Amino acid sequence: MIVLVITTTFFFVGFLQSSSAQTRLSNCNAFYEQTGERIVGYQTWDDMAADLSYAQLVADNFMGEGGGKYVLCPGLSFYPVETAGRPAVISALNTVVMCGGGRTDCIVELQPNLPAFFVMKSNWVVSGVRFEGITFQESDNRDGDEGLLSSMAPAVWIGLPSVTSSGVGKPEVSFLNCHWKSISSHPSAVLISRVDEDWSDSSRSLNNSIYERPPEKGMSSNVNFELCTFTGNIFEKGAVYNNFGNALFDRSSFDSNEIKEGGLLNVVNNGTISINEGCFYRNVVSGPGLVQIGFGSVLVSNERNFEGANSVLISQCDQIFLKDTKKCTYFDGIQCSLNLKTHIASDVVHYISLGLLTLSAMMVATSTFLFY
């Protein structure tokens, strides 16, 4: 009898999931008319957020299950304000939000004071969350006070605890080929800061302290950024603010951003950071440092990174500042990485050209000095 009840229960849940979850998908007609390629995906933010909410319900009751791929129709803009003041909440294993067709023109039009996505803990360990090909930008169409939660709301908030208790490991969250551009109403593009509350409780405590205080119950997530770009933004707290998490940046670029406090990348409260083959160009930051490593935090890797034409206002360190030792660590790249993919190929050419010009100018200056 017990076996029958359990079997019936799982059958019912499976039926409920198959009949209700991700049923708001439709043909991406505009993309088909443009390219002739048929893609099935979401055409509105509200539809995707509703299916993610259903996945959250399944995950809370069935050990994190309920994830899957959530494909956005390429060439469309998506407005988080449609969810009436609540971000799209992700708490299921192996949830992937991606732009269809391998594109990067699924545009999330950010609203002030509201994260677009909130990745939070479930009753089960959450990992395998990935964002792919999503572009985040400031919305020109702001709807008054809708979504008014906190001026400290990041564009994306990673609130997950880490699967590992003591260090760098397999990422719980990944950003692949994602882009943040022309944002000024959010203090950071991504906040990595563990919270052990649901969204309603977290939103009430969303203030400046979420950036400063160490998480109460342990380490934040392992988060990877690969082939991502941050361009033309104005942030108060930096492009990515890592509060006791592990962040890895691989072949990602930072161009023409302005940071009012700290560096482009800030690590606090015993967090770690790895930066490989990155490009930092034409940024203006408060500093000290383009990258700021706080007390107790660790720079794990700094390989083949390039910087040029940046301005650091607190100028005792213009690259990587280590607060523990009050010393500066420098990038060793002489040009922007040649391994960057085609989505930023034009930027690479621009960076390399300017980098070579800068190097040439330095050589000329040195030659002049020696001649003199």
Side-chain angles (χ1 to χ4, degrees):
M1 178 67 70
I2 294 175
V3 173
L4 178 60
V5 170
I6 292 174
T7 304
T8 305
T9 301
F10 275 92
F11 172 78
F12 174 74
V13 171
F15 171 78
L16 183 62
Q17 184 171 358
S18 63
S19 62
S20 299
Q22 299 193 20
T23 57
R24 297 168 178 83
L25 297 170
S26 60
N27 290 320
C28 300
N29 292 326
F31 183 71
Y32 173 72
E33 291 173 2
Q34 179 185 3
T35 66
E37 182 181 352
R38 294 191 182 277
I39 293 177
V40 175
Y42 292 99
Q43 300 202 60
T44 71
W45 181 271
D46 208 24
D47 287 344
M48 179 200 64
D51 280 348
L52 284 171
S53 293
Y54 181 86
Q56 180 187 355
L57 176 64
V58 174
D60 285 344
N61 289 282
F62 294 94
M63 299 184 294
E65 296 300 328
K69 285 188 177 180
Y70 295 79
V71 178
L72 302 180
C73 287
L76 297 182
S77 293
F78 298 85
Y79 298 88
V81 75
E82 292 175 6
T83 56
R86 187 175 188 268
V89 176
I90 296 175
S91 63
L93 284 162
N94 303 317
T95 297
V96 178
V97 179
M98 62 187 300
C99 191
R103 303 273 289 252
T104 61
D105 56 350
C106 296
I107 310 299
V108 175
E109 301 275 359
L110 295 169
Q111 296 290 325
N113 311 310
L114 178 69
F117 292 98
F118 177 51
V119 186
M120 59 169 277
K121 78 179 189 72
S122 178
N123 293 334
W124 197 252
V125 174
V126 178
S127 62
V129 176
R130 188 170 82 247
F131 299 91
E132 185 173 335
I134 308 298
T135 296
F136 300 87
Q137 70 180 31
E138 194 89 348
S139 176
D140 292 330
N141 181 21
R142 302 186 184 184
D143 272 348
D145 291 334
E146 252 192 287
L148 184 59
L149 295 174
S150 169
S151 61
M152 299 310 297
V156 181
W157 185 0
I158 310 300
L160 283 178
S162 179
V163 172
T164 58
S165 60
S166 60
V168 177
K170 183 178 179 181
E172 283 92 37
V173 181
S174 301
F175 294 90
L176 174 61
N177 202 3
C178 288
H179 312 279
W180 289 262
K181 63 180 185 178
S182 304
I183 300 168
S184 61
S185 65
H186 295 262
S188 62
V190 178
L191 168 63
I192 305 168
S193 187
R194 171 179 178 164
V195 286
D196 291 273
E197 306 166 321
D198 62 20
W199 167 248
S200 58
D201 292 330
S202 298
S203 64
R204 284 193 287 271
S205 63
L206 185 57
N207 52 42
N208 192 65
S209 66
I210 200 69
Y211 283 83
E212 311 298 342
R213 71 183 186 212
E216 296 177 357
K217 297 184 180 181
M219 191 162 234
S220 302
S221 291
N222 301 325
V223 182
N224 287 9
F225 299 82
E226 182 179 354
L227 296 167
C228 292
T229 66
F230 302 79
T231 308
N233 304 290
I234 302 174
F235 293 125
E236 182 177 345
K237 294 289 188 177
V240 177
Y241 197 96
N242 175 11
N243 185 0
F244 196 23
N246 301 306
L248 183 148
F249 295 85
D250 181 22
R251 294 167 294 166
S252 295
S253 67
F254 304 81
D255 183 12
S256 303
N257 301 286
E258 179 182 341
I259 308 300
K260 297 181 179 179
E261 181 180 322
L264 275 163
L265 304 175
N266 296 295
V267 191
V268 300
N269 295 321
N270 302 302
T272 74
I273 188 169
S274 300
I275 317 167
N276 301 312
E277 299 184 66
C279 295
F280 297 80
Y281 217 87
R282 298 178 296 199
N283 301 286
V284 178
V285 306
S286 172
L290 286 171
V291 179
Q292 193 172 112
I293 314 293
F295 295 112
S297 297
V298 177
L299 175 65
V300 176
S301 176
N302 169 31
E303 301 288 340
R304 300 179 300 281
N305 296 298
F306 170 76
E307 73 85 22
N310 298 290
S311 176
V312 180
L313 302 182
I314 301 175
S315 59
Q316 59 257 47
C317 177
D318 62 357
Q319 295 192 27
I320 303 176
F321 181 66
L322 308 173
K323 277 193 171 182
D324 273 339
T325 60
K326 296 184 179 179
K327 291 184 178 179
C328 211
T329 295
Y330 295 95
F331 299 133
D332 61 0
I334 61 172
Q335 65 183 29
C336 203
S337 169
L338 296 176
N339 295 325
L340 290 168
K341 302 296 184 181
T342 54
H343 77 284
I344 49 174
S346 61
D347 284 341
V348 173
V349 172
H350 177 71
Y351 296 150
I352 292 174
S353 300
L354 286 175
L356 291 174
L357 284 172
T358 302
L359 184 60
S360 299
M362 292 172 62
M363 293 173 65
V364 169
T366 303
S367 301
T368 303
F369 174 77
L370 292 174
F371 178 79
Y372 179 80

